[in-house]
């Protein structure tokens, strides 16, 4: 096991699938390792601390940076936790 502190999370499969379409298995493995360890530390940790932090940041920035998008999201009348769970799905699969 390369990184025993990193758990499998749904979303990794989407990332791995795309990587395997465009590169060898070995290259896909090393790129996945770099993403998990260096680019997005904490995203795929069992606590999901990295992705939870980023989704809450996104939730706080949308009304400031994208007020029209925020107005549309407010129209859905979702609680913060429900909206952040959608963001988690987007982040975990790196929007693919």
């Amino acid at each position: 096991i390369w990184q025993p502190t990193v758990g499998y999370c749904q979303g990794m499969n989407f990332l791995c699938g795309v990587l395997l379409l465009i590169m060898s298995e070995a290259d896909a493995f090393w790129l996945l390792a770099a993403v998990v360890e260096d680019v997005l530390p904490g995203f795929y940790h069992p606590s999901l601390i990295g992705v939870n932090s980023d989704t809450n940041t996104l939730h706080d920035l949308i009304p400031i940076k994208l007020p029209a998008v925020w107005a549309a999201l407010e129209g859905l009348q979702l609680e913060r936790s429900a909206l952040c769970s959608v963001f988690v799905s987007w982040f975990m699969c790196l929007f693919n």
Side-chain angles (χ1 to χ4, degrees), residues 1-84:
I1 296 176
W2 178 255
Q3 267 302 351
T5 60
V6 174
Y8 171 77
C9 298
Q10 289 182 344
M12 277 183 161
N13 57 339
F14 295 107
L15 177 56
C16 291
V18 170
L19 295 178
L20 289 168
L21 287 173
I22 60 174
M23 60 186 65
S24 71
E25 289 179 20
D27 289 344
F29 172 80
W30 289 114
L31 184 53
L32 177 66
V35 167
V36 169
E37 296 170 11
D38 302 324
V39 178
L40 299 172
F43 259 55
Y44 301 102
H45 187 274
S47 70
L48 301 177
I49 191 165
V51 76
N52 285 325
S53 174
D54 284 357
T55 56
N56 282 297
T57 300
L58 178 62
H59 186 279
D60 294 342
L61 285 175
I62 291 174
I64 298 165
K65 298 292 186 177
L66 302 167
V69 171
W70 183 249
L73 291 172
E74 278 190 314
L76 299 174
Q77 299 180 335
L78 296 174
E79 293 182 20
R80 181 184 184 104
S81 61
L83 191 54
C84 282

